[in-house]
Amino acid sequence: MKLSRKGFLKASAATGLFAAGAASTKPALNAFSTKTEASQENVEQGEWIASVCQGCTAWCAVQVYRIDGRATKVRGNPNAKANHGHSCVRSHIGLQQVYDPDRVKQPMKRTNPNKGRDEDPEFVPISWEEAMDTIAEKIIELRENNETHKFSVWRGRYTSNNGILYGNLPKIIGSPNNISHSSICAESEKFGRYYTERYWGYADYDHEKALYEIFWGGDPIATNRQVPHTASIWGELSDRATLACVDPRFSTTAAKSDEWMPVIPGEDGAIASAIAHVILTEGLWYKPFVGDFTDGQNRFVEGEDVDEDDFEEIQTHGLVKWWNLELKDKTPEWAAERSGIEADQIYRVARGFANAAPKAISFSSPGSSMTIRGGYTAMTQAALNGLVGSADNEGGVISNGISVPNNGFPDPDDYIDEIAANGLEQERIDWGGRLELPALKDSASGGVKVTNTVADAVLAEDPYNLKVVLSYWTNFNFSNQGTDRWDRALAKIPFMVHMTVNPAEQTHFADIVLPVPHSQFERQSPVAGSNGNLHRHLHLQNRVIESPFDIRVDETEIPWMLGEALEKKGFSNLIDYFRNEFRDPETGDAPTNAAEFDEIATKHFTHPVWDPTFEKDGDQIDGWEEYKRLGTWNTNRYEFRQKWDGNWGTETGQFEFYSETLKAALQDHADKHNVSIDDVMEATFNTVRGDGAFVPHYEPAKRVGDESEYPLIFMEHRSKLNREARSANTSWYQEFKDIDLGDEAWDDVAKLNPKDAAELGIENGDMVRLVTPEGQIEVKAKLWEGTRPGVVAKCYGQGHWAYGHIASLDRRRQIARGGNNNIILAPVHEALSGSGARHGGQTRVRVEKV
């Protein structure tokens, strides 16, 4: 890039926020260079700089090769034990993102007061000072009117510094409304593990020792978490272990497994219950973990109740209750009628899984549990790990939060005045904790912030409308089901600030647009990654390159600048908190400006891992500079069976098949609303009543749309290339899209089984309209036997109408490349966990030839 930083800003001012849209299918790509041959003068002159890829929730440590100030190549960080030096394709796509000519280049403000999809925002450049002054003025107005609760911070992906902007800033201003994206990501999966063994988080898996694995709606060598680790170990794993994949789509994992079970979407729970039934009736449970009948005689006989006194449990609680309430009639023949999987295959998988005990993994994922009744599906999948003794055991599943030392951030209580305190007492905007939406994180009613209800709350002004929103790393009117609701809600919010790398669909409704760094290349931030390869870690993103754009770091620099602007208007609490409570761990100095605050906040949070005087179980690092060079700190390898012998943390202290932990949580929620637990079950669309609510059990799929009008089931999946739908404006994403089985490069296809296509008179390559009760999109039909009959499968990530000249066919005319699945997905929830119900065929669809 020969264009200077000043030149970039000048060009931005002249052309506005967005680059011109491209009318062609494959736009000209000359943003980087017009040369046809690479220069050799910089060979061997670069250096590797540590950073972090945040293309998914694995948050892998990587290294970036820098030559003459440019990022040119990415690889896994060899110092990282979770991904042991590997990275996946997502980290490489980041190179095209950071140098994307369609990026936001400087602060912008809206000049058209009217908001709507059809309204031109008429953005014009402004200074950072004007942007901060405008935002501060809006916040002061809320304080003067005692409406601080109508302020909200929305968070998408984030770093470990999020506790500043997302955590403490809204508290000091006086709002309970910090809204995360998490509930549209995976909370139902966490629900299953929590109410069997009390762990709310992502599990880790001992792939190195496992002998059998069942993947429920997951594609772990392509998407989900830990892809570099799983993919790198897959060859050895598949040589040693038997692998079964339960998925309506022939995924990459299914293609490389021993068993593919193309289940009817949403009916995974029937298979899981039937597997448990086989394990018990055939006496295959892992007795050293579960226990046995007192006389050694197996009394688990189909259709017959068992006396609880006849069975003595060791590490578990409630096995006989689970049998009597749920499993005694759940035969493979019963499951075959509901799941579409033959009974013989269910028997075979159940026996193989149990015979591998305790080195057998039931791998739960959002694909099978993010359904309207999916919390109980996730519980059943988690319970299988208890039956075979693989929970917290070698060759099994680690559902335990490995401790990573960090300092957190100082308590803001001394800076919360009476106005803010009153605002914090108001009901949250997201409805979490209401009767019909328990959102039971950590057993607390409303513990989960329910993202997708915010649009409904704003539209209904229930409990009130939001007036000022700061939103970062988000694109909620693209990434939430029911996008039209979000468009209308965003148009109704009087003042919204969008902090973003690229202009996107949400930017279209913003009043202020603030350019921020690309996480992988342009900022210094800590990232506490999830478990992986039996380690946990605290990575460090380094500022690999100096951006040519006029950017500020969203979680640190922008809050500091806002604090200064608020101080000028008479409210100094925020900036006082930053100045008084943060100190450089090395020098003791307080920050005096935004850049210093950014570094001090990162050093403060990570201090325990790089200061050798702190005692810790993990890597020994000698100082801040060495930590910056290494880019990661790793825990010691996890030691198994830490939760055994009464340390599960549940109400009983045991691994719970009958969940006293869930029972207590549901009772608290029911008492909060003066109703019974049965009333809660009815309000949350679950069919179970009585004690059955406390055991893992089968719930039939509930779908939106009448079968006679919408005869097929729609299911979506993720791409190997998706950086959480942020990849679509790169040519690499589009050019290599066909590495996703059944997909096409530079296109967006709906994959139909040839049998269904023949009945509909649809041929390969026809343009079709996918119609649901929620909306409609037009895409190309792809006849593909890898889709189960009766199902329409489509990848998520295309359909951007405001993301750039590659993601859109024509940005100026808002013509999308393909269709956004969220336009046609109904905005429904797995209410117990608060998770969005976007998988498992929740929405029925009709396919029409265009």
Side-chain angles (χ1 to χ4, degrees):
M1 288 175 73
K2 294 185 178 181
L3 191 60
S4 68
R5 177 178 180 277
K6 183 177 180 181
F8 262 114
L9 301 181
K10 184 177 179 180
S12 177
T15 62
L17 180 64
F18 303 107
S24 63
T25 301
K26 295 185 180 181
L29 303 174
N30 57 4
F32 308 127
S33 176
T34 57
K35 294 181 179 180
T36 58
E37 295 182 3
S39 171
Q40 297 296 314
E41 63 185 58
N42 289 319
V43 175
E44 305 297 336
Q45 295 181 11
E47 59 181 331
W48 289 102
I49 310 295
S51 191
V52 184
C53 171
Q54 290 192 261
C56 75
T57 52
W59 292 344
C60 291
V62 298
Q63 292 179 332
V64 180
Y65 198 59
R66 183 177 66 194
I67 298 178
D68 285 348
R70 281 188 63 90
T72 63
K73 187 177 180 180
V74 178
R75 70 182 183 189
N77 188 332
N79 303 305
K81 297 176 182 177
N83 57 315
H84 41 89
H86 296 282
S87 65
C88 77
V89 64
R90 294 183 188 83
S91 65
H92 303 284
I93 287 178
L95 288 166
Q96 285 200 322
Q97 290 179 317
V98 70
Y99 292 117
D100 186 344
D102 293 332
R103 284 183 59 174
V104 183
K105 301 174 179 66
Q106 69 181 97
M108 311 290 283
K109 74 174 180 181
R110 185 186 202 91
T111 59
N112 180 2
N114 300 315
K115 294 184 179 181
R117 172 84 178 256
D118 298 328
E119 295 287 345
D120 183 348
E122 299 178 11
F123 287 116
V124 297
I126 59 172
S127 67
W128 277 99
E129 291 73 19
E130 181 181 349
M132 292 299 107
D133 182 76
T134 304
I135 299 167
E137 184 64 37
K138 298 296 182 181
I139 292 173
I140 293 298
E141 288 178 10
L142 294 181
R143 288 182 54 79
E144 290 174 346
N145 295 324
N146 291 310
E147 293 182 317
T148 59
H149 57 287
K150 296 182 180 180
F151 169 82
S152 185
V153 174
W154 295 352
R155 178 187 78 176
R157 185 57 58 225
Y158 51 90
T159 78
S160 296
N161 280 341
N162 78 94
I164 296 169
L165 172 59
Y166 177 77
N168 291 338
L169 183 147
K171 292 178 183 176
I172 293 170
I173 290 175
S175 175
N177 292 313
N178 52 342
I179 304 298
S180 176
H181 78 291
S182 299
S183 70
I184 62 174
C185 187
E187 303 309 82
S188 60
E189 171 192 342
K190 300 173 187 176
F191 180 93
R193 284 187 288 270
Y194 187 87
Y195 292 106
T196 51
E197 52 178 307
R198 199 157 193 166
Y199 173 69
W200 192 277
Y202 298 128
D204 193 8
Y205 306 92
D206 188 8
H207 296 305
E208 290 184 354
K209 299 291 180 61
L211 298 177
Y212 204 110
E213 300 200 27
I214 304 175
F215 303 101
W216 299 96
D219 193 4
I221 54 176
T223 64
N224 203 262
R225 289 166 290 281
Q226 305 175 23
V227 173
H229 165 56
T230 308
S232 66
I233 204 172
W234 190 267
E236 192 273 331
L237 172 65
S238 60
D239 287 343
R240 168 179 21 89
T242 301
L243 308 174
C245 183
V246 186
D247 199 315
R249 178 184 68 99
F250 193 60
S251 65
T252 303
T253 298
K256 296 180 180 293
S257 293
D258 301 280
E259 302 271 1
W260 176 39
M261 307 174 81
V263 64
I264 296 172
E267 297 290 347
D268 306 68
I271 299 174
S273 287
I275 289 174
H277 176 94
V278 173
I279 290 172
L280 293 179
T281 56
E282 298 190 3
L284 299 176
W285 69 91
Y286 189 63
K287 296 175 179 61
F289 182 84
V290 179
D292 201 357
F293 288 97
T294 55
D295 61 2
Q297 180 181 346
N298 185 8
R299 290 180 172 78
F300 292 125
V301 177
E302 179 188 339
E304 295 185 11
D305 285 334
V306 172
D307 189 330
E308 293 180 43
D309 293 335
D310 291 338
F311 196 97
E312 185 174 348
E313 293 182 80
I314 301 174
Q315 301 289 345
T316 65
H317 170 78
L319 176 66
V320 174
K321 280 191 174 73
W322 185 26
W323 168 265
N324 291 337
L325 289 166
E326 163 66 6
L327 298 179
K328 63 183 179 182
D329 299 317
K330 300 301 189 294
T331 65
E333 290 77 13
W334 165 89
E337 296 179 2
R338 289 153 181 82
S339 67
I341 303 301
E342 293 183 359
D344 287 348
Q345 189 176 24
I346 298 174
Y347 276 113
R348 185 170 63 248
V349 170
R351 290 164 181 159
F353 179 72
N355 286 327
K359 298 181 179 183
I361 292 173
S362 174
F363 189 115
S364 186
S365 71
S368 62
S369 61
M370 286 183 73
T371 67
I372 294 174
R373 296 163 176 159
Y376 287 115
T377 299
M379 279 186 73
T380 310
Q381 293 164 357
L384 291 177
N385 292 311
L387 273 186
V388 297
S390 66
D392 196 20
N393 204 359
E394 184 177 275
V397 180
I398 300 89
S399 297
N400 198 1
I402 306 172
S403 177
V404 174
N406 64 77
N407 276 338
F409 293 111
D411 194 304
D413 286 356
D414 291 343
Y415 303 88
I416 298 174
D417 62 15
E418 184 177 357
I419 293 174
N422 289 335
L424 287 167
E425 291 298 318
Q426 302 301 310
E427 181 184 355
R428 285 203 328 251
I429 190 73
D430 65 286
W431 298 351
R434 291 190 176 185
L435 172 62
E436 68 279 8
L437 202 53
L440 298 173
K441 179 181 180 181
D442 200 19
S443 294
S445 174
V448 168
K449 305 290 180 72
V450 187
T451 315
N452 203 12
T453 54
V454 172
D456 301 309
V458 167
L459 291 172
E461 298 188 14
D462 175 17
Y464 43 77
N465 188 21
L466 295 176
K467 290 189 173 181
V468 178
V469 172
L470 305 187
S471 189
Y472 76 106
W473 221 333
T474 56
N475 195 17
F476 281 167
N477 59 327
F478 181 89
S479 59
N480 280 284
Q481 306 142 258
T483 58
D484 177 67
R485 299 155 43 255
W486 276 94
D487 285 348
R488 290 183 284 115
L490 293 174
K492 188 175 180 180
I493 294 173
F495 185 78
M496 182 183 72
V497 179
H498 198 204
M499 295 170 269
T500 184
V501 175
N502 275 64
E505 285 73 17
Q506 189 176 329
T507 316
H508 192 77
F509 296 86
D511 297 273
I512 298 284
V513 184
L514 301 179
V516 297
H518 190 287
S519 63
Q520 192 172 331
F521 304 95
E522 298 174 327
R523 68 188 294 166
Q524 183 182 77
S525 300
V527 180
S530 54
N531 299 331
N533 192 28
L534 310 187
H535 293 275
R536 202 170 177 93
H537 41 262
L538 182 54
H539 301 319
L540 181 68
Q541 290 173 328
N542 280 300
R543 189 173 287 108
V544 178
I545 63 171
E546 292 299 324
S547 177
F549 310 125
D550 191 12
I551 60 176
R552 300 292 187 277
V553 180
D554 40 32
E555 292 174 332
T556 51
E557 292 183 319
I558 291 175
W560 176 279
M561 295 164 65
L562 179 58
E564 290 181 322
L566 288 167
E567 182 182 37
K568 293 177 182 177
K569 297 183 182 298
F571 180 67
S572 66
N573 294 35
L574 183 62
I575 196 67
D576 287 345
Y577 168 65
F578 297 152
R579 290 170 177 158
N580 296 340
E581 302 298 332
F582 287 80
R583 293 290 183 273
D584 187 313
E586 291 185 299
T587 67
D589 294 341
T592 62
N593 56 52
E596 289 179 0
F597 178 60
D598 175 56
E599 180 164 69
I600 287 174
T602 298
K603 292 176 72 174
H604 167 87
F605 186 88
T606 61
H607 185 202
V609 305
W610 53 262
D611 187 334
T613 65
F614 281 82
E615 292 187 13
K616 48 190 172 287
D617 294 324
D619 294 347
Q620 299 303 309
I621 298 176
D622 188 17
W624 170 246
E625 291 301 321
E626 183 177 10
Y627 182 49
K628 289 170 62 177
R629 178 180 63 80
L630 294 173
T632 185
W633 178 87
N634 304 275
T635 66
N636 290 334
R637 198 167 176 84
Y638 182 74
E639 295 182 4
F640 296 105
R641 304 192 180 189
Q642 294 183 29
K643 298 171 76 171
W644 288 34
D645 301 326
N647 297 314
W648 295 92
T650 58
E651 289 289 315
T652 62
Q654 304 290 83
F655 185 103
E656 292 185 341
F657 295 125
Y658 180 91
S659 182
E660 298 287 355
T661 306
L662 178 56
K663 183 177 183 179
L666 286 172
Q667 190 62 62
D668 286 347
H669 181 73
D671 291 345
K672 174 180 174 180
H673 297 283
N674 298 311
V675 298
S676 69
I677 292 177
D678 281 354
D679 293 328
V680 175
M681 292 294 102
E682 182 175 1
T684 56
F685 301 108
N686 286 287
T687 63
V688 71
R689 300 292 182 269
D691 274 4
F694 316 132
V695 299
H697 66 269
Y698 165 74
E699 287 278 348
K702 178 177 173 57
R703 311 193 197 279
V704 176
D706 186 88
E707 186 174 0
S708 62
E709 187 174 357
Y710 306 99
L712 301 176
I713 300 171
F714 181 80
M715 68 155 289
E716 70 167 11
H717 63 92
R718 295 295 189 266
S719 169
K720 297 181 179 72
L721 307 172
N722 270 1
R723 290 177 61 96
E724 299 182 320
R726 294 189 294 271
S727 307
N729 205 48
T730 68
S731 61
W732 288 345
Y733 176 87
Q734 302 292 350
E735 185 68 33
F736 299 110
K737 191 67 187 62
D738 54 358
I739 69 172
D740 296 313
L741 298 184
D743 277 16
E744 299 287 342
W746 292 95
D747 214 335
D748 192 20
V749 297
K751 295 178 283 291
L752 289 80
N753 189 280
K755 286 180 58 178
D756 295 323
E759 293 177 4
L760 295 169
I762 293 172
E763 297 182 359
N764 196 54
D766 284 346
M767 289 299 297
V768 294
R769 184 178 298 113
L770 306 183
V771 184
T772 74
E774 186 63 27
Q776 61 184 39
I777 57 176
E778 292 185 5
V779 293
K780 188 176 293 184
K782 174 69 177 288
L783 276 58
W784 190 55
E785 292 182 347
T787 303
R788 180 190 171 87
V791 174
V792 178
K794 183 177 172 299
C795 190
Y796 172 73
Q798 300 276 41
H800 284 285
W801 53 268
Y803 204 71
H805 78 290
I806 297 176
S808 309
L809 284 177
D810 192 321
R811 164 64 191 90
R812 288 185 172 181
R813 292 188 292 164
Q814 297 185 358
I815 300 175
R817 184 183 298 279
N820 179 6
N821 297 353
N822 284 317
I823 292 175
I824 62 175
L825 284 171
V828 289
H829 292 84
E830 198 293 306
L832 296 181
S833 67
S835 172
R838 62 179 307 116
H839 298 306
Q842 301 306 285
T843 306
R844 289 193 167 276
V845 64
R846 180 174 70 250
V847 181
E848 301 172 347
K849 189 173 180 178
V850 176

